[in-house]
Amino acid sequence: MTIGIEHIAALLPADWPGRELDPMPGDLETYVTSGFGGAGPLVIQPWDKLETLGRQQGYYDLDEPDADPIRGAPSSDPAGGCLYFDDDIDAGDLAVVLRVMGVQDLLQDYVLFGAESTATLEDRYLDQIRIISRGALTHLFDVPKDLVADLPKPTAPLETLIQTFIKAQREKWNDPRYAFGGKLAGALGGDGDWAKESLAFGFLMENQYWQVMRLWSRPWLVTK
């Protein structure tokens, strides 16, 4: 499988690092929690009992994913969220939006996992990559530090990677002669006449503090 960004950073295999972890960094069916994940200060009140202190929730605890847009906001991160955008988005506009979402666009210490859908109607994506900072590998996924240290560093920062992925997906799926390329026909159940598929993208900030995110291409239906 190639996605067109491998000259910047190779896609690690889904079973990397070759041992069972919970969660696996290459498991694209699951999503990590948001937040720092560190213990907050232990506040002891005069009425507290020793047996209840251990059950206090840390101020910087991790938040499980929640589909509700209000409750799903991270409690210890100012930014994050999910973004859907069209194929013809201006590169400068996208860069600004992603910075607002908390993307560290100059980050050059990350690894990649990827997947190519074989059932786009069910999966709702075409190709996707998961971007994980090295710090997240050790803190959120408990990957041993020596295994992380052995990984080669990318040749370009995060902003370049994102723009390269989008460019490669345009070249892969779009037809330069027609508004609706035949490569996407039926990808979302379109009939090729009333409803035709066109290219779009999605971006998800899984964890803003630790810089874990997803970027994927997707079909959408353009109707007459």
Side-chain angles (χ1 to χ4, degrees):
M1 178 190 65
T2 58
I3 296 184
I5 42 76
E6 288 78 6
H7 62 290
I8 294 178
L11 296 173
L12 295 177
D15 61 353
W16 184 89
R19 63 183 67 180
E20 195 65 29
L21 301 173
D22 185 23
M24 291 289 288
D27 180 8
L28 302 187
E29 297 296 319
T30 61
Y31 298 89
V32 298
T33 53
S34 63
F36 170 65
L42 186 64
V43 180
I44 302 178
Q45 303 291 345
W47 52 83
D48 283 330
K49 298 180 180 180
L50 290 177
E51 58 267 24
T52 63
L53 292 177
R55 295 197 295 270
Q56 285 190 16
Q57 181 180 6
Y59 292 111
Y60 301 105
D61 207 356
L62 293 168
D63 300 313
E64 293 294 336
D66 192 321
D68 183 273
I70 296 178
R71 293 194 302 270
S75 61
S76 57
D77 287 325
C82 186
L83 171 70
Y84 306 109
F85 55 95
D86 199 1
D87 168 41
D88 63 355
I89 191 169
D90 178 77
D93 291 341
L94 178 61
V96 171
V97 173
L98 293 182
R99 281 197 293 271
V100 171
M101 294 180 70
V103 174
Q104 297 176 14
D105 53 354
L106 297 181
L107 179 69
Q108 201 165 336
D109 203 6
Y110 57 84
V111 300
L112 298 180
F113 296 89
E116 183 178 30
S117 174
T118 58
T120 56
L121 188 60
E122 293 78 18
D123 295 338
R124 302 294 291 272
Y125 76 89
L126 300 165
D127 295 321
Q128 71 163 300
I129 55 174
R130 188 184 210 182
I131 306 163
I132 305 178
S133 72
R134 290 179 182 239
L137 284 176
T138 57
H139 188 90
L140 293 180
F141 297 93
D142 293 325
V143 178
K145 292 183 178 180
D146 59 324
L147 296 179
V148 177
D150 290 339
L151 293 172
K153 290 189 176 182
T155 61
L158 197 52
E159 183 175 14
T160 302
L161 171 77
I162 292 172
Q163 296 295 348
T164 302
F165 176 86
I166 292 172
K167 180 177 182 292
Q169 291 296 295
R170 287 169 173 161
E171 294 173 351
K172 179 176 181 178
W173 299 108
N174 287 344
D175 189 328
R177 298 171 298 172
Y178 305 103
F180 308 102
K183 298 176 183 178
L184 290 176
L188 207 57
D191 61 8
D193 179 26
W194 178 264
K196 296 181 180 181
E197 286 85 357
S198 186
L199 182 65
F201 294 90
F203 180 88
L204 172 68
M205 180 62 78
E206 290 188 63
N207 187 298
Q208 190 259 323
Y209 185 90
W210 291 107
Q211 293 292 284
V212 180
M213 59 205 82
R214 304 281 183 102
L215 176 63
W216 66 97
S217 56
R218 63 186 185 91
W220 68 287
L221 291 172
V222 183
T223 56
K224 289 182 177 177

